[in-house]
């Protein structure tokens, strides 16, 4: 039997211009409002047999406000950005323009001292592939948008550069079906 795994991107903790690497801030007012407004259409997620979340504050708050009572999964943390954590891309690019260009061009590079994009995608894929497969089990995980992007690259066997072409908006939902190494993207109504 195939496993059904629904990933939900957390609500926002800042404006797009203030998105920071390794951001651990709480939901902002707009983020809380988005979750409250979307709550009725996402209430069915509470029926999942297993409910997880990335360990960040915003993922936990998103999940709890939807009544999911999740278990935090360290493997679902966002990409480790090393010394760039806490800074915006604009701030890092002003200080280390060549390092940022190298990082964006080479998915195996990690000039920040954290994880490379390839390592991050493999970590998320490893988590996917170790989910328990039962009789049509359903798992829901509230994650960082980056985790959703990495999961899609892994599932679709896309080159790592495809990561930069996936835009995961707050409260975006994707469903994956399958088992270790055999995943499909399921587009639902």
């Amino acid at each position: 039997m195939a496993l059904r795994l629904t990933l939900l991107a957390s609500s926002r903790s800042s404006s797009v211009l203030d998105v920071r690497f390794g951001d651990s801030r709480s939901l902002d007012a707009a983020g809380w409002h988005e979750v409250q407004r979307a709550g009725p259409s996402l209430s069915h997620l509470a029926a999942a047999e297993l409910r997880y979340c990335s360990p960040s504050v915003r993922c936990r708050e998103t999940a709890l406000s939807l009544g999911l009572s999740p278990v935090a999964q360290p493997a679902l943390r966002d990409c480790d950005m090393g010394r760039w954590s806490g800074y915006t891309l604009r701030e890092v690019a002003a200080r280390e323009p060549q390092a940022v260009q190298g990082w964006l061009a080479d998915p195996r590079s990690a000039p920040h001292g954290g994880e490379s994009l390839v390592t991050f995608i493999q970590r998320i894929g490893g988590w996917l592939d170790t989910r328990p497969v039962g009789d049509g089990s359903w798992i829901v995980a509230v994650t960082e948008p980056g985790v959703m992007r990495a999961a899609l690259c892994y599932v679709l066997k896309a080159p790592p550069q495809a990561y930069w072409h996936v835009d995961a908006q707050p409260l975006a939902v994707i469903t994956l079906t399958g088992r270790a190494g055999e995943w499909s993207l399921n587009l639902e109504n």
Side-chain angles (χ1 to χ4, degrees):
M1 223 40 203
L3 173 68
R4 182 174 161 210
L5 173 61
T6 300
L7 300 176
L8 170 68
S10 67
S11 194
R12 71 185 72 231
S13 61
S14 65
S15 72
V16 173
L17 295 177
D18 192 36
V19 172
R20 297 179 179 279
F21 295 121
D23 194 348
S24 61
R25 292 179 287 182
S26 184
L27 296 179
D28 65 9
W32 283 110
H33 179 73
E34 286 174 344
V35 173
Q36 295 307 310
R37 193 176 67 234
S41 65
L42 298 172
S43 63
H44 69 285
L45 299 177
E49 287 90 356
L50 297 171
R51 294 173 301 278
Y52 299 118
C53 70
S54 296
S56 71
V57 172
R58 76 169 157 257
C59 288
R60 186 179 307 269
E61 288 177 345
T62 299
L64 289 173
S65 66
L66 293 172
L68 299 180
S69 302
V71 174
Q73 294 283 286
L76 289 178
R77 68 192 180 284
D78 210 349
C79 188
D80 177 359
M81 297 305 290
R83 71 175 180 278
W84 293 356
S85 291
Y87 296 98
T88 66
L89 179 59
R90 180 177 288 170
E91 291 168 341
V92 174
R95 288 190 353 241
E96 302 179 50
Q98 290 178 331
V100 169
Q101 286 301 332
W103 173 66
L104 292 172
D106 180 2
R108 296 190 188 293
S109 74
H112 43 63
E115 287 178 296
S116 70
L117 184 58
V118 167
T119 302
F120 176 50
I121 291 169
Q122 289 171 343
R123 172 168 51 86
I124 299 306
W127 183 85
L128 291 171
D129 285 347
T130 57
R131 293 309 86 210
V133 178
D135 249 353
S137 297
W138 181 27
I139 296 174
V140 169
V142 178
T143 70
E144 302 293 342
V147 170
M148 290 180 79
R149 295 161 68 188
L152 284 173
C153 287
Y154 182 80
V155 165
L156 298 175
K157 297 175 178 37
Q161 294 85 348
Y163 178 90
W164 304 117
H165 300 285
V166 177
D167 187 15
Q169 294 293 314
L171 302 177
V173 178
I174 60 171
T175 299
L176 310 172
T177 55
R179 63 186 57 78
E182 297 179 28
W183 293 97
S184 296
L185 175 60
N186 184 0
L187 301 175
E188 303 175 336
N189 285 347

